[in-house]
Amino acid sequence: MGVCWGPVLRVLVLQAAWALGGGQVRYSVPEEAKAGTVVGRLAQDLGLEAGEPEARRLRLVAQGRRASVEVSGASGALVVSSRLDREELCGKSAPCALRLEVLVERPLRVFHVELEVTDINDNAPLFPAARKNLSLPENSPPGSRFPLEGASDADIGANAQLSYTLSPSEHFGLEVKSKDEKKMLLVLLLTKALDRETMAVHRLVVTASDGGRPALTGTVELVISVLDANDNAPQFNQSVYKVQLPENASPGTVLLQLTASDKDEGINREIDYFFSNMISTKVQDLFIMDRKSGEIRTAGELDFEDVQSYDLEIEARDKGWPPLSGHCSVELEVLDVNDNAPEVWVTSLSVPVPEDAAAGTVVALLSVSDRDSGANGRVRCAVWPASPFGLVATFAGSYSLVLREALDRERVSEYEVEVRAEDGGSPPLRASRGVRVPVSDVNDNAPSFAQAVYTVLARENNAAGAELARLWARDPDEAGNGRVSYSVAEGVVGGASSGVARRPASSYVSVDAESGRLWALQPLDYEELQVLQFEVRAVDAGEPPLCGNATVQLFVVDENDNAPALLPLAGGGPGVGAAVSAASGPVSGALWAWAAWGAPAGQVVAKIRAVDADSGYNAWLRYELWEPRGKGPFRVGLYSGEVSTARALEEADGPRQRLVIVVRDHGEPARSATATLSVSLVEGAEAALAAAGSSSSSSSSSSGAGLRPAEGGASAASAASATNVWLVVAICAVSSLFLLAVVLYGASRWAPRAAVLSGPGPATLVCASEVGSWSYSQRQSRSLCVADGAGKSDLMVFSPNFPPLPPPPPGPAAKETQPEPPALLDTVVDSMCLAREVA
């Protein structure tokens, strides 16, 4: 800085003069004077001559601290040697005087020099910190005072006189008070209420100015942070939230994310969310509220059918003190989905339904409902099967199950009716309800036999009480209406034409009233009764009772209980005598015949005739020559019984031949009869006379009424005459049988067939022929067979319902291959013909 040195030097000179006068030299120098600045003419002021300061070594004596001045050796002047800082040298002390000692030698003297360093305004006011942070509660009332630390100034005097100013602010002012003469109290004054939410930080500048010329200033920045007070309640951005959620939302579905804001800060703005206490516990259990985030989730299952909407009151509460709260309302609308299937209920059921119930009869009353709404709750109904029942809508949600068609319990005794319901949702839901409708019986069916005609085969000589057949009549009704009892309708068997006494059918057979089993009351005899036809009646227990009939044709099957019986001779000469007995083995008898010497081979000598009261196999006879064994002159036809020459007769054959002939049937066991034939060998003329002589007795011989002992020498004429008669009778019988067979064949071929029921088995034809062969026919049509030349022919055609009974082949193998059944049940005879010829 510029200094006017003239006046300064004068002052210094005056001071030096004063010092010399008082014995002490005083100088004054302003602080911050430049180095080399002459403070005073020390040598001159001490009275030294020119050159003397250097000669006498004028110098300053240090006293512990640097004086910042020195004595110029040449001039002896006191000059500034380094920077002078009053504040450094003296601080706030005033005045600031430096005491110096000056030495001069030759002679040694000590001078005291006082150097006053004067103050200049070289220090600006200084605050303790450039920034001052203050925190004020926003709820501080206006007029509140907040002390501040003032600035300091290292200068003294007027240079240290400070004044303060505050930057403009509508909320704050600065108040300066003097605490004492040296200290001032600086106060920050709150002039207007604070609002942190409006301005959270205020930045102010306090300026301190000293009294120097020019004045120096110092500043401090006040950073005032407004501390939050819990003066704002949480606020939702909406007062009412409307939410829609389908009822099939799964638990945990986010319903809504609520957000509330609080203008406060810190803990005052931390918010927790709660359900209002006005909400019932049951409703709160359906939802979960996240206290921190405000997220609402479903905790249970919603059901539109129970509650269609929920009104949830929500509270948002901050953590200030006292805590403040905000509220909102959440209106939840539950949307219906098609989650309920229709329900079908049977409210009334009238069962069983009589099978004769009229169409339109109400069977059941049904109620149909669906808890859903709208299209989801509209239900369509149908019944399955579509007949014989139907649905009739009576009013909303109610239906009648009615009868559409006539019922038949025998065809369907119980109906499983299914009522099906379907709603109008998408996809539609379905439900069904089964209704069991039993049909009660009405006696509208008469008992019915499986066959109109039953053909039963029963072996003769059966035991009394033997079961012949089992009849069964079906009555489809139930209980008493279907309980059938059986009885034999009264009828007679025999008469004047048959030669059998008239007897009722119930004397032969009986039927069990409950089981329908047909019993034989007595042994049957084929020779007495071949066919028994009667009716069996089946009556139910209904009201009124209904009945049905079936015809039973009982055919008695022959048993081999009759042995062959011998008849008088025919064809070979008169039999003058015969004796026969029936037995299981050969029996003795005697017959006589004549043969001429020289008769050629094949000439018939006699014909053994026999008859068997049985039929079929049992009456089929064969003839065997028992004696003599070997190659004799005679032979017997196996089935004809003709005794003929096996070769030409010679004298060597002797006058008489005794032949033992066994007649045996085909029954099991076989029965037989034995005839002894005595053949007398005579000349040709004698044989003719014997035949002529015996012609008068041919009639009695043919009838076999009188058997006489043999008389030797009977005439050949009688034998020849008897032979001719028997030949004529045999030819007539065979012709008659052939004609009868042709007539029967034509009648069976062209006449309409009788309406008889036949079982599943095919017809089996059994024929007897002369040579003993058996033929079978599996055709269903009727067949007729005539045995040519046989003395007796039997024709039987069977069509069994059960396994057929084939005719046993000749020989003992028949017994092994086909066991005899005790009775044949439900067997239909397609045709049975018994033709018997007696020659």
Side-chain angles (χ1 to χ4, degrees):
M1 64 177 55
V3 179
C4 193
W5 294 104
V8 172
L9 291 177
R10 284 193 297 268
V11 169
L12 292 177
V13 172
L14 292 174
Q15 289 178 351
W18 175 81
L20 289 175
Q24 188 176 4
V25 181
R26 292 179 176 270
Y27 295 102
S28 176
V29 62
E31 64 176 332
E32 302 295 338
K34 293 181 178 180
T37 301
V38 177
V39 177
R41 297 180 181 276
L42 181 61
Q44 185 178 352
D45 293 336
L46 292 176
L48 298 177
E49 296 294 335
E52 196 175 14
E54 182 177 4
R56 297 182 64 182
R57 299 184 62 188
L58 180 64
R59 62 185 183 274
L60 291 178
V61 180
Q63 294 184 351
R65 60 180 178 176
R66 185 174 57 85
S68 299
V69 293
E70 65 181 359
V71 176
S72 175
S75 62
L78 186 63
V79 298
V80 177
S81 62
S82 62
R83 176 177 175 266
L84 284 173
D85 187 358
R86 192 200 68 79
E87 289 77 22
E88 180 181 354
L89 297 173
C90 300
K92 295 294 289 182
S93 298
C96 180
L98 298 180
R99 297 182 183 277
L100 305 177
E101 288 183 356
V102 180
L103 293 180
V104 63
E105 295 180 359
R106 294 189 299 270
L108 179 62
R109 286 186 66 186
V110 177
F111 297 96
H112 294 280
V113 179
E114 185 176 305
L115 178 62
E116 180 182 0
V117 181
T118 60
D119 182 48
I120 66 172
N121 194 23
D122 60 346
N123 289 284
L126 181 63
F127 286 93
R131 175 180 294 180
K132 177 69 173 178
N133 294 322
L134 297 177
S135 296
L136 304 181
E138 69 170 324
N139 57 356
S140 299
S144 299
R145 289 171 169 78
F146 306 96
L148 299 177
E149 188 176 359
S152 61
D153 196 325
D155 297 328
I156 59 174
N159 294 331
Q161 298 291 327
L162 300 180
S163 62
Y164 296 93
T165 58
L166 182 65
S167 60
S169 172
E170 62 175 334
H171 294 90
F172 294 96
L174 191 62
E175 186 177 87
V176 181
K177 292 182 177 181
S178 297
K179 189 174 183 181
D180 52 31
E181 294 181 357
K182 295 183 178 180
K183 294 184 179 181
M184 300 181 67
L185 183 60
L186 187 63
V187 177
L188 183 65
L189 179 63
L190 180 63
T191 60
K192 184 180 179 180
L194 299 174
D195 187 358
R196 190 203 62 81
E197 290 71 34
T198 303
M199 182 177 293
V201 178
H202 296 261
R203 295 182 181 273
L204 303 175
V205 177
V206 177
T207 303
S209 302
D210 57 20
R213 293 286 186 268
L216 299 180
T217 61
T219 62
V220 62
E221 182 183 14
L222 298 180
V223 179
I224 304 172
S225 299
V226 181
L227 298 179
D228 183 48
N230 193 24
D231 57 346
N232 291 281
Q235 290 184 350
F236 292 94
N237 54 3
Q238 293 178 225
S239 60
V240 177
Y241 294 86
K242 293 186 177 181
V243 184
Q244 292 181 334
L245 195 66
E247 63 173 325
N248 62 348
S250 60
T253 301
V254 176
L255 176 65
L256 181 64
Q257 176 78 50
L258 292 175
T259 302
S261 61
D262 193 320
K263 295 181 180 180
D264 298 325
E265 66 176 0
I267 195 171
N268 295 328
R269 70 177 303 169
E270 294 181 11
I271 300 174
D272 288 338
Y273 299 88
F274 304 92
F275 287 115
S276 174
N277 294 330
M278 295 184 294
I279 302 177
S280 65
T281 304
K282 180 180 179 181
V283 174
Q284 292 187 31
D285 291 341
L286 292 175
F287 302 96
I288 298 175
M289 169 72 76
D290 190 311
R291 295 182 58 180
K292 298 298 182 183
S293 65
E295 183 181 77
I296 303 177
R297 294 176 178 267
T298 58
E301 294 183 352
L302 305 179
D303 192 349
F304 173 85
E305 290 69 35
D306 291 338
V307 181
Q308 289 77 36
S309 64
Y310 294 90
D311 195 356
L312 307 177
E313 293 294 332
I314 309 299
E315 177 184 354
R317 185 187 307 157
D318 61 25
K319 295 184 179 181
W321 185 259
L324 301 179
S325 300
H327 299 83
C328 74
S329 177
V330 178
E331 295 180 357
L332 171 61
E333 180 184 359
V334 181
L335 301 179
D336 183 41
V337 296
N338 193 24
D339 61 340
N340 289 280
E343 295 180 342
V344 182
W345 302 96
V346 179
T347 58
S348 178
L349 183 62
S350 299
V351 291
V353 180
E355 62 177 322
D356 59 350
T361 301
V362 177
V363 177
L365 298 179
L366 306 171
S367 176
V368 180
S369 62
D370 193 317
R371 298 182 63 195
D372 295 323
S373 62
N376 298 331
R378 288 195 291 271
V379 182
R380 300 183 299 273
C381 291
V383 64
W384 186 90
S387 63
F389 299 97
L391 284 179
V392 176
T394 54
F395 50 91
S398 295
Y399 295 85
S400 295
L401 182 66
V402 299
L403 185 63
R404 298 285 193 191
E405 301 174 2
L407 301 176
D408 185 359
R409 194 205 63 82
E410 289 71 37
R411 184 172 61 88
V412 180
S413 62
E414 184 176 277
Y415 290 89
E416 289 292 339
V417 181
E418 185 179 16
V419 179
R420 298 175 176 177
E422 179 181 279
D423 61 24
S426 181
L429 297 180
R430 300 174 179 86
S432 63
R433 174 71 65 175
V435 180
R436 189 177 67 88
V437 182
V439 181
S440 61
D441 184 49
V442 175
N443 192 24
D444 56 347
N445 292 278
S448 174
F449 287 92
Q451 300 173 203
V453 177
Y454 287 87
T455 301
V456 179
L457 300 182
R459 297 189 181 276
E460 67 173 329
N461 302 321
N462 59 291
E467 181 178 341
L468 303 178
R470 180 174 297 183
L471 307 180
W472 181 69
R474 177 179 179 272
D475 192 328
D477 296 325
E478 65 177 357
N481 297 331
R483 188 168 57 250
V484 179
S485 60
Y486 303 89
S487 62
V488 176
E490 289 298 334
V492 294
V493 178
S497 60
S498 62
V500 180
R502 296 174 60 87
R503 297 176 59 186
S506 58
S507 63
Y508 290 97
V509 294
S510 175
V511 64
D512 187 275
E514 294 184 359
S515 65
R517 293 180 179 179
L518 188 64
W519 308 96
L521 296 179
Q522 63 182 18
L524 300 177
D525 188 358
Y526 175 82
E527 289 70 35
E528 176 187 351
L529 178 67
Q530 288 80 37
V531 179
L532 175 62
Q533 179 170 317
F534 56 92
E535 284 190 353
V536 174
R537 175 173 296 176
V539 181
D540 61 26
E543 185 63 38
L546 302 178
C547 65
N549 298 318
T551 299
V552 179
Q553 293 179 344
L554 176 62
F555 290 90
V556 181
V557 179
D558 182 44
E559 289 284 333
N560 193 22
D561 59 346
N562 292 282
L566 294 175
L567 298 177
L569 288 177
V576 290
V580 182
S581 64
S584 59
V587 293
S588 299
L591 298 173
W592 295 268
W594 294 266
W597 296 105
Q603 181 176 350
V604 176
V605 176
K607 183 177 180 68
I608 303 300
R609 297 183 304 157
V611 66
D612 197 318
D614 298 322
S615 65
Y617 266 111
N618 300 327
W620 188 23
L621 304 179
R622 65 176 182 268
Y623 302 86
E624 299 176 2
L625 181 61
W626 190 261
E627 293 181 0
R629 300 280 184 177
K631 296 183 178 180
F634 296 96
R635 61 185 177 187
V636 178
L638 181 61
Y639 294 103
S640 64
E642 293 179 345
V643 180
S644 60
T645 57
R647 55 179 172 78
L649 298 178
E650 301 174 355
E651 292 183 1
D653 293 328
R656 177 176 295 180
Q657 290 286 329
R658 180 177 178 274
L659 305 179
V660 178
I661 299 171
V662 177
V663 182
R664 183 178 288 112
D665 60 25
H666 285 78
E668 285 293 337
R671 294 180 181 271
S672 63
T674 303
T676 302
L677 176 63
S678 295
V679 180
S680 297
L681 303 180
V682 296
E683 295 292 338
E686 294 177 358
L689 291 175
S694 61
S695 62
S696 60
S697 60
S698 61
S699 59
S700 61
S701 299
S702 62
S703 63
L707 296 179
R708 301 176 295 164
E711 296 180 358
S715 65
S718 298
S721 176
T723 301
N724 292 335
V725 171
W726 290 116
L727 287 175
V728 171
V729 172
I731 291 172
C732 292
V734 170
S735 300
S736 301
L737 180 62
F738 177 78
L739 181 61
L740 176 62
V742 171
V743 172
L744 292 176
Y745 177 80
S748 64
R749 182 73 174 176
W750 304 108
R753 299 184 180 182
V756 295
L757 296 179
S758 176
T764 302
L765 175 65
V766 182
C767 294
S769 66
E770 179 180 303
V771 297
S773 63
W774 291 83
S775 61
Y776 304 94
S777 173
Q778 298 298 326
R779 297 189 301 264
Q780 185 66 30
S781 60
R782 295 171 175 80
S783 301
L784 187 66
C785 180
V786 178
D788 295 335
K792 178 180 177 181
S793 299
D794 294 310
L795 178 65
M796 292 181 293
V797 181
F798 301 102
S799 179
N801 287 338
F802 296 106
L805 177 66
K815 185 173 184 181
E816 299 176 1
T817 58
Q818 181 62 44
E820 287 184 327
L824 299 178
L825 176 61
D826 293 342
T827 304
V828 177
V829 176
D830 193 17
S831 174
M832 173 175 275
C833 298
L834 302 176
R836 176 175 296 172
E837 174 199 354
V838 179

